[in-house]
Amino acid sequence: MEQPVSQAAAETALTGISPDVVPTWVWLATVGAIAALFLFDFFTHVRKPHEPTFREAALWSTFYVALALLFGWGVWHFWDAKHGVEYFAGFITEKSLSVDNLFVFVIIMKSFQVPAAYQQKALLIGIVIALVMRGIFIALGAAAIEQFSWVFYIFGLFLLWTAYKLAKESFAHGAKSTDEEYEPNALVKYFQRHLPTTDDFRGNALTVIENGKRFFTPMFIVILALGMTDLLFALDSIPAIYGLTDAPYIVFTANAFALLGLLQLYFLLGGLLDRLVYLGLGLSLILAFIGVKLIIHAMEANTLPFLNGGQPIEGLPHIETSFSLSVIVGILVVTTVASLLKSRSDARKGL
């Protein structure tokens, strides 16, 4: 009996192009639009140094979230429901992980005593650096996945290890706090030791010339610290989203839209971050869930000779992306509500 041909297979047979392949012009248009949004952010918020009000941060945060949701609707409507669900699952996951990044961003700003009016420039440039580096990571990840299916084992185990560390940290040290000390990484320490820098900020300039010699300002070091910190966070977030979709276009756009509103989210949340006492635990559960999903996927496409004779392992539960989206949203809702209730209870007790 002849097997039915799937819609995707039929489209591939008719056009010679897989429906999972995004045309080059769409990639170029998307990258151009995202670059334009970052330029818009610079000219409307950063060019004139100021500390955003709560109202300004709230309005622009809403704008960027709405834009991300509108883009997701476009993916759903013009591509298909499957990729639409993958985008929303990836965006929510990346946005949640980016909130965790804000803890470190606040700590860095406090450590370097960055004036509030200049923080927007430091954040925006640091975020752009992070997005460019993530783009490189995404391309490398896509190439590795296409050539070696066992890469999913590595991604899955890495996420499980990260989830374990996050959970252990949450139980051992309690909730994260923006009053923690910042410990620069090796690269930041190297530049701090070897670059000629001024003792104080010179407006929001990155470099100045004094007595005929160019000096870097603390602003340059802050931007470097922000960019490198977010790059380290990408080691968790890129494998995590590849556990939800294998489409590089979805991986890139979910990351881009999660980072786009991060500048405004930083000023919107502000002191509220310390109230998200269970965020680390919630993220550890999400990463563990996606890690297990990745390993199951790797076993379904297994090619490792020492495992089941190099043959795919059958009979494993298949986790749909729509179910993954439900789990991720459910964990975030529960941990957020529990965090706010715990913070309110501690406030009443005077803790």
mmCIF file of all heavy atoms in Angstrom, residues 218-244:
data_model
loop_
_atom_site.group_PDB
_atom_site.id
_atom_site.type_symbol
_atom_site.label_atom_id
_atom_site.label_comp_id
_atom_site.label_asym_id
_atom_site.label_seq_id
_atom_site.Cartn_x
_atom_site.Cartn_y
_atom_site.Cartn_z
ATOM 1 N N PRO A 218 36.497 53.994 32.036
ATOM 2 C CA PRO A 218 35.830 52.847 32.672
ATOM 3 C C PRO A 218 34.603 52.364 31.893
ATOM 4 O O PRO A 218 34.228 51.196 31.995
ATOM 5 C CB PRO A 218 35.430 53.398 34.046
ATOM 6 C CG PRO A 218 36.441 54.464 34.320
ATOM 7 C CD PRO A 218 36.718 55.092 32.993
ATOM 8 N N MET A 219 33.998 53.259 31.085
ATOM 9 C CA MET A 219 32.838 52.864 30.283
ATOM 10 C C MET A 219 33.196 51.736 29.312
ATOM 11 O O MET A 219 32.411 50.800 29.111
ATOM 12 C CB MET A 219 32.304 54.067 29.508
ATOM 13 C CG MET A 219 31.132 53.758 28.587
ATOM 14 S SD MET A 219 29.613 53.304 29.483
ATOM 15 C CE MET A 219 29.095 54.936 30.025
ATOM 16 N N PHE A 220 34.384 51.787 28.733
ATOM 17 C CA PHE A 220 34.821 50.740 27.812
ATOM 18 C C PHE A 220 34.919 49.398 28.528
ATOM 19 O O PHE A 220 34.491 48.368 28.008
ATOM 20 C CB PHE A 220 36.183 51.106 27.212
ATOM 21 C CG PHE A 220 36.741 50.059 26.284
ATOM 22 C CD1 PHE A 220 36.364 50.021 24.956
ATOM 23 C CD2 PHE A 220 37.634 49.098 26.748
ATOM 24 C CE1 PHE A 220 36.858 49.049 24.098
ATOM 25 C CE2 PHE A 220 38.136 48.120 25.899
ATOM 26 C CZ PHE A 220 37.743 48.096 24.573
ATOM 27 N N ILE A 221 35.471 49.408 29.743
ATOM 28 C CA ILE A 221 35.614 48.171 30.517
ATOM 29 C C ILE A 221 34.245 47.624 30.912
ATOM 30 O O ILE A 221 34.006 46.408 30.884
ATOM 31 C CB ILE A 221 36.477 48.406 31.772
ATOM 32 C CG1 ILE A 221 37.854 48.965 31.384
ATOM 33 C CG2 ILE A 221 36.625 47.118 32.571
ATOM 34 C CD1 ILE A 221 38.680 48.028 30.530
ATOM 35 N N VAL A 222 33.308 48.515 31.251
ATOM 36 C CA VAL A 222 31.953 48.096 31.614
ATOM 37 C C VAL A 222 31.273 47.400 30.437
ATOM 38 O O VAL A 222 30.664 46.330 30.582
ATOM 39 C CB VAL A 222 31.113 49.310 32.078
ATOM 40 C CG1 VAL A 222 29.639 48.930 32.208
ATOM 41 C CG2 VAL A 222 31.633 49.840 33.397
ATOM 42 N N ILE A 223 31.379 48.000 29.245
ATOM 43 C CA ILE A 223 30.772 47.416 28.042
ATOM 44 C C ILE A 223 31.381 46.048 27.757
ATOM 45 O O ILE A 223 30.675 45.089 27.414
ATOM 46 C CB ILE A 223 30.949 48.356 26.838
ATOM 47 C CG1 ILE A 223 30.078 49.606 27.029
ATOM 48 C CG2 ILE A 223 30.615 47.650 25.526
ATOM 49 C CD1 ILE A 223 30.317 50.682 26.005
ATOM 50 N N LEU A 224 32.687 45.951 27.907
ATOM 51 C CA LEU A 224 33.364 44.667 27.703
ATOM 52 C C LEU A 224 32.854 43.626 28.694
ATOM 53 O O LEU A 224 32.573 42.474 28.330
ATOM 54 C CB LEU A 224 34.873 44.847 27.856
ATOM 55 C CG LEU A 224 35.734 43.595 27.652
ATOM 56 C CD1 LEU A 224 35.657 43.133 26.207
ATOM 57 C CD2 LEU A 224 37.184 43.876 28.037
ATOM 58 N N ALA A 225 32.707 44.027 29.963
ATOM 59 C CA ALA A 225 32.227 43.104 30.995
ATOM 60 C C ALA A 225 30.800 42.643 30.699
ATOM 61 O O ALA A 225 30.474 41.456 30.835
ATOM 62 C CB ALA A 225 32.290 43.778 32.367
ATOM 63 N N LEU A 226 29.939 43.570 30.257
ATOM 64 C CA LEU A 226 28.554 43.218 29.935
ATOM 65 C C LEU A 226 28.494 42.252 28.752
ATOM 66 O O LEU A 226 27.764 41.261 28.775
ATOM 67 C CB LEU A 226 27.749 44.486 29.611
ATOM 68 C CG LEU A 226 27.478 45.442 30.775
ATOM 69 C CD1 LEU A 226 26.887 46.744 30.254
ATOM 70 C CD2 LEU A 226 26.542 44.815 31.795
ATOM 71 N N GLY A 227 29.266 42.556 27.703
ATOM 72 C CA GLY A 227 29.264 41.705 26.516
ATOM 73 C C GLY A 227 29.776 40.305 26.808
ATOM 74 O O GLY A 227 29.187 39.304 26.375
ATOM 75 N N MET A 228 30.881 40.220 27.556
ATOM 76 C CA MET A 228 31.461 38.914 27.873
ATOM 77 C C MET A 228 30.550 38.110 28.812
ATOM 78 O O MET A 228 30.440 36.893 28.702
ATOM 79 C CB MET A 228 32.836 39.088 28.518
ATOM 80 C CG MET A 228 33.910 39.630 27.578
ATOM 81 S SD MET A 228 34.192 38.569 26.127
ATOM 82 C CE MET A 228 33.271 39.474 24.864
ATOM 83 N N THR A 229 29.880 38.807 29.724
ATOM 84 C CA THR A 229 28.962 38.125 30.642
ATOM 85 C C THR A 229 27.806 37.510 29.874
ATOM 86 O O THR A 229 27.437 36.348 30.083
ATOM 87 C CB THR A 229 28.421 39.115 31.698
ATOM 88 O OG1 THR A 229 29.514 39.598 32.489
ATOM 89 C CG2 THR A 229 27.409 38.437 32.605
ATOM 90 N N ASP A 230 27.223 38.294 28.945
ATOM 91 C CA ASP A 230 26.104 37.757 28.180
ATOM 92 C C ASP A 230 26.553 36.647 27.244
ATOM 93 O O ASP A 230 25.790 35.721 26.965
ATOM 94 C CB ASP A 230 25.440 38.867 27.374
ATOM 95 C CG ASP A 230 24.043 38.483 26.932
ATOM 96 O OD1 ASP A 230 23.113 38.652 27.725
ATOM 97 O OD2 ASP A 230 23.896 37.982 25.807
ATOM 98 N N LEU A 231 27.799 36.724 26.786
ATOM 99 C CA LEU A 231 28.327 35.660 25.935
ATOM 100 C C LEU A 231 28.393 34.343 26.710
ATOM 101 O O LEU A 231 28.075 33.274 26.187
ATOM 102 C CB LEU A 231 29.712 36.043 25.423
ATOM 103 C CG LEU A 231 30.404 35.042 24.497
ATOM 104 C CD1 LEU A 231 29.564 34.808 23.256
ATOM 105 C CD2 LEU A 231 31.783 35.555 24.107
ATOM 106 N N LEU A 232 28.790 34.416 27.990
ATOM 107 C CA LEU A 232 28.842 33.219 28.825
ATOM 108 C C LEU A 232 27.443 32.645 29.040
ATOM 109 O O LEU A 232 27.243 31.431 29.052
ATOM 110 C CB LEU A 232 29.500 33.543 30.177
ATOM 111 C CG LEU A 232 30.993 33.871 30.125
ATOM 112 C CD1 LEU A 232 31.501 34.281 31.499
ATOM 113 C CD2 LEU A 232 31.793 32.676 29.609
ATOM 114 N N PHE A 233 26.453 33.544 29.205
ATOM 115 C CA PHE A 233 25.080 33.075 29.363
ATOM 116 C C PHE A 233 24.586 32.381 28.100
ATOM 117 O O PHE A 233 23.711 31.509 28.152
ATOM 118 C CB PHE A 233 24.148 34.241 29.709
ATOM 119 C CG PHE A 233 24.169 34.626 31.157
ATOM 120 C CD1 PHE A 233 24.689 35.842 31.565
ATOM 121 C CD2 PHE A 233 23.663 33.767 32.126
ATOM 122 C CE1 PHE A 233 24.713 36.199 32.909
ATOM 123 C CE2 PHE A 233 23.678 34.115 33.474
ATOM 124 C CZ PHE A 233 24.203 35.339 33.864
ATOM 125 N N ALA A 234 25.144 32.775 26.940
ATOM 126 C CA ALA A 234 24.733 32.151 25.679
ATOM 127 C C ALA A 234 25.091 30.673 25.641
ATOM 128 O O ALA A 234 24.460 29.894 24.919
ATOM 129 C CB ALA A 234 25.380 32.880 24.502
ATOM 130 N N LEU A 235 26.089 30.272 26.417
ATOM 131 C CA LEU A 235 26.472 28.861 26.461
ATOM 132 C C LEU A 235 25.332 27.999 26.988
ATOM 133 O O LEU A 235 25.241 26.805 26.687
ATOM 134 C CB LEU A 235 27.721 28.685 27.333
ATOM 135 C CG LEU A 235 29.001 29.369 26.831
ATOM 136 C CD1 LEU A 235 30.130 29.194 27.846
ATOM 137 C CD2 LEU A 235 29.410 28.805 25.481
ATOM 138 N N ASP A 236 24.448 28.605 27.790
ATOM 139 C CA ASP A 236 23.259 27.888 28.270
ATOM 140 C C ASP A 236 22.086 28.065 27.314
ATOM 141 O O ASP A 236 21.387 27.103 26.986
ATOM 142 C CB ASP A 236 22.839 28.408 29.655
ATOM 143 C CG ASP A 236 23.924 28.232 30.694
ATOM 144 O OD1 ASP A 236 24.780 27.350 30.512
ATOM 145 O OD2 ASP A 236 23.914 28.989 31.675
ATOM 146 N N SER A 237 21.879 29.309 26.867
ATOM 147 C CA SER A 237 20.657 29.624 26.134
ATOM 148 C C SER A 237 20.627 29.039 24.726
ATOM 149 O O SER A 237 19.567 28.609 24.257
ATOM 150 C CB SER A 237 20.455 31.142 26.063
ATOM 151 O OG SER A 237 21.485 31.757 25.320
ATOM 152 N N ILE A 238 21.763 28.991 24.036
ATOM 153 C CA ILE A 238 21.756 28.460 22.670
ATOM 154 C C ILE A 238 21.437 26.958 22.659
ATOM 155 O O ILE A 238 20.558 26.517 21.903
ATOM 156 C CB ILE A 238 23.088 28.749 21.946
ATOM 157 C CG1 ILE A 238 23.337 30.266 21.856
ATOM 158 C CG2 ILE A 238 23.089 28.130 20.553
ATOM 159 C CD1 ILE A 238 22.258 31.040 21.155
ATOM 160 N N PRO A 239 22.105 26.132 23.481
ATOM 161 C CA PRO A 239 21.694 24.718 23.526
ATOM 162 C C PRO A 239 20.240 24.545 23.964
ATOM 163 O O PRO A 239 19.541 23.644 23.481
ATOM 164 C CB PRO A 239 22.647 24.102 24.560
ATOM 165 C CG PRO A 239 23.848 24.978 24.535
ATOM 166 C CD PRO A 239 23.309 26.365 24.305
ATOM 167 N N ALA A 240 19.771 25.430 24.872
ATOM 168 C CA ALA A 240 18.396 25.308 25.358
ATOM 169 C C ALA A 240 17.392 25.500 24.228
ATOM 170 O O ALA A 240 16.434 24.729 24.089
ATOM 171 C CB ALA A 240 18.131 26.319 26.465
ATOM 172 N N ILE A 241 17.594 26.510 23.394
ATOM 173 C CA ILE A 241 16.617 26.756 22.334
ATOM 174 C C ILE A 241 16.739 25.725 21.220
ATOM 175 O O ILE A 241 15.765 25.410 20.546
ATOM 176 C CB ILE A 241 16.740 28.195 21.786
ATOM 177 C CG1 ILE A 241 15.506 28.520 20.936
ATOM 178 C CG2 ILE A 241 18.021 28.384 21.004
ATOM 179 C CD1 ILE A 241 15.407 29.971 20.542
ATOM 180 N N TYR A 242 17.939 25.162 21.031
ATOM 181 C CA TYR A 242 18.061 24.079 20.050
ATOM 182 C C TYR A 242 17.332 22.824 20.527
ATOM 183 O O TYR A 242 17.098 21.901 19.743
ATOM 184 C CB TYR A 242 19.526 23.769 19.759
ATOM 185 C CG TYR A 242 20.082 24.537 18.575
ATOM 186 C CD1 TYR A 242 21.172 25.377 18.707
ATOM 187 C CD2 TYR A 242 19.500 24.414 17.314
ATOM 188 C CE1 TYR A 242 21.673 26.094 17.616
ATOM 189 C CE2 TYR A 242 19.992 25.114 16.225
ATOM 190 C CZ TYR A 242 21.075 25.956 16.380
ATOM 191 O OH TYR A 242 21.557 26.652 15.296
ATOM 192 N N GLY A 243 16.975 22.790 21.807
ATOM 193 C CA GLY A 243 16.150 21.699 22.313
ATOM 194 C C GLY A 243 14.679 21.885 21.988
ATOM 195 O O GLY A 243 13.872 20.981 22.190
ATOM 196 N N LEU A 244 14.335 23.098 21.494
ATOM 197 C CA LEU A 244 12.949 23.396 21.158
ATOM 198 C C LEU A 244 12.718 23.496 19.650
ATOM 199 O O LEU A 244 11.600 23.347 19.178
ATOM 200 C CB LEU A 244 12.520 24.715 21.825
ATOM 201 C CG LEU A 244 12.610 24.733 23.361
ATOM 202 C CD1 LEU A 244 12.434 26.143 23.891
ATOM 203 C CD2 LEU A 244 11.572 23.797 23.959
#
